[in-house]
Amino acid sequence: MGRTLAEKVWDDHVVRRAEGEPDLLFIDLHLLHEVTSPQAFDGLRKAGRPVRRTDLTIATEDHNTPTLDIDKPIADPVSRTQLETLRKNCAEFGVRLHPLGDVEQGVVHVVGPQLGLTQPGTTVVCGDSHTSTHGAFGALAFGIGTSQVEHVLATQTLPLAPFKTMAITVDGELPEGVTAKDLILAIIARIGTGGGQGYVLEYRGPAIEKLSMEARMTICNMSIEAGARAGMIAPDRTTFDYLQGRDHSPQGEDWDAAVAYWKTLRTDDDAVFDAEVHIDASELAPFVTWGTNPGQGAPLSASVPDPASYEDASERYAAEKALEYMGLTAGQPLRDIKVDTVFVGSCTNGRIEDLRSAAAILEGRKVADDVRMLIVPGSVRVSLEAVAEGLDKVFTAAGAEWRHAGCSMCLGMNPDQLAPGERSASTSNRNFEGRQGKGGRTHLVSPQVAAATAVLGHLASPADLSDVAVATPAGV
Ligand SMILES: CC(C)[C@H](C(=O)O)[C@@H](O)C(=O)O
Ligand code: SF4
């Protein structure tokens, strides 16, 4: 019988298989950041063990880093300790680190792909749930816990429980103005935040094949929000073009050999998935969340749902709790929801294409008076590219704040936070209670919806902007 993409990559990495035991897999790339690595390094130190493969291990600073005044000492003692600890550990164990201020620094899931470290057919792990992002290249990429981080540091292998496979086939074409973010939010709303539990998802079909690498990363990034172990997309010409010429991509004859192998990384025609979901892309519209988990979303044109309309008691209860926390009323049109903050960034939507699409909407327009808008590139490289294209000027002219790279307002581990009761439209991936700051309320959106929302001050899509006067350029 044929095999799926995930099964092929898995089989190619098994270093030990024994009856009744989980397979032991070789890990090709181990990414580290400051939050989940300290105890793992402590464990190694106590056991007197070195890092087995420093050449396959790389660290960056992202969660605790500020996005302003990065040359000043870090004010928050917890964040400062986290970063200092990572620096000490990497120096002691010989691990390559891109610290704050380095040109390769950024959110770990933006850094790996842009360096060409994330490659098709590889196994990638990181002590971070959004490691699923790297599956966009046809890599098998898992988020792992701190004790597993220690295991990989010590052995470059990991015992992993078997998985099930789910095909998510997206037919048709995304309508104008509908993005990868809308698609993944719609998929999670459909299968639920537990729908992917135990599965490696493979996104496939014509609508997926048309997507850029950035868009594919947005989709795979949020696989974890559907509860999945990982998400994958088969590598193709788009993948190869993205990788060619990157720092760590193979070169010359090695490149040709790599591409020849990568081309075999497709699910066989006769392979059977454990579950299948079909989505028609042409039926989708801009999608936003109204609740406190990423599955509580609806098309922007809809209204806040009535909890009473849910047949399932636990869903009804979750919706009631969510409306209470979010300060929303059943039946209220989603477009009427006013926000005070807009955040464009994160490993979901902080790449160059995301910034370009937000800038295209903000060009010649102004952020509404009572809205603060933060634009946070996913990495320093993304930031430099944006500056070279003049996007930073577009953002600041519109009244948005142009910040330094990092996780920023995606989660409340650094100074960029919502105050209690504040409401954001955010291009990140989690809208849990308090995620962006205690008492903060988060609506997950695409970069396009974020930009239109910033201009109008309420949840909106670019199509709603036709009636907003475009500021007359100076001198005209
Ligand atoms: C801090 C880290 C462990 C966490 C994760 O695992 O994803 C964070 O990146 C997040 O997005 O919630
Ligand atoms: S940007 Fe957000 S989701 Fe991504 S690693 Fe940072 S905190 Fe986690």
Side-chain angles (χ1 to χ4, degrees), residues 29-210:
L29 176 65
H30 188 189
L31 303 162
L32 299 169
H33 62 60
E34 68 272 28
V35 183
T36 46
S37 60
Q39 286 155 315
F41 280 114
D42 277 349
L44 285 194
R45 198 176 286 117
K46 280 198 194 98
R49 302 183 76 152
V51 171
R52 178 75 184 260
R53 294 291 300 266
T54 47
D55 57 327
L56 303 181
T57 311
I58 180 169
T60 184
E61 300 174 354
D62 48 11
H63 288 73
N64 292 103
T65 52
T67 60
L68 282 176
D69 300 327
I70 63 158
D71 46 345
K72 303 226 169 78
I74 292 169
D76 173 47
V78 175
S79 290
R80 197 169 56 232
T81 306
Q82 291 280 74
L83 298 175
E84 279 168 3
T85 306
L86 182 66
R87 288 171 200 182
K88 246 183 33 227
N89 284 332
C90 288
E92 181 181 337
F93 287 89
V95 170
R96 171 177 168 189
L97 167 69
H98 294 297
L100 188 62
D102 187 274
V103 70
E104 302 297 351
Q105 179 260 342
V107 181
V108 66
H109 311 306
V110 178
V111 169
Q114 81 188 5
L115 282 170
L117 286 166
T118 305
Q119 294 178 13
T122 57
T123 46
V124 180
V125 297
C126 176
D128 192 284
S129 54
H130 296 100
T131 309
S132 57
T133 312
H134 306 263
F137 290 79
L140 192 53
F142 297 108
I144 57 177
T146 299
S147 57
Q148 292 172 302
V149 171
E150 184 181 338
H151 193 284
V152 177
L153 284 175
T155 66
Q156 204 58 32
T157 65
L158 194 62
L160 284 164
F163 61 92
K164 293 180 286 179
T165 55
M166 183 188 292
I168 300 189
T169 305
V170 189
D171 291 312
E173 213 174 310
L174 287 171
E176 177 81 22
V178 182
T179 68
K181 183 62 163 290
D182 304 305
L183 171 57
I184 188 64
L185 285 173
I187 290 172
I188 300 168
R190 162 99 163 262
I191 70 175
T193 50
Q197 226 160 9
Y199 290 96
V200 173
L201 313 180
E202 183 182 330
Y203 304 96
R204 56 213 311 255
I208 298 292
E209 285 161 23
K210 276 217 176 117

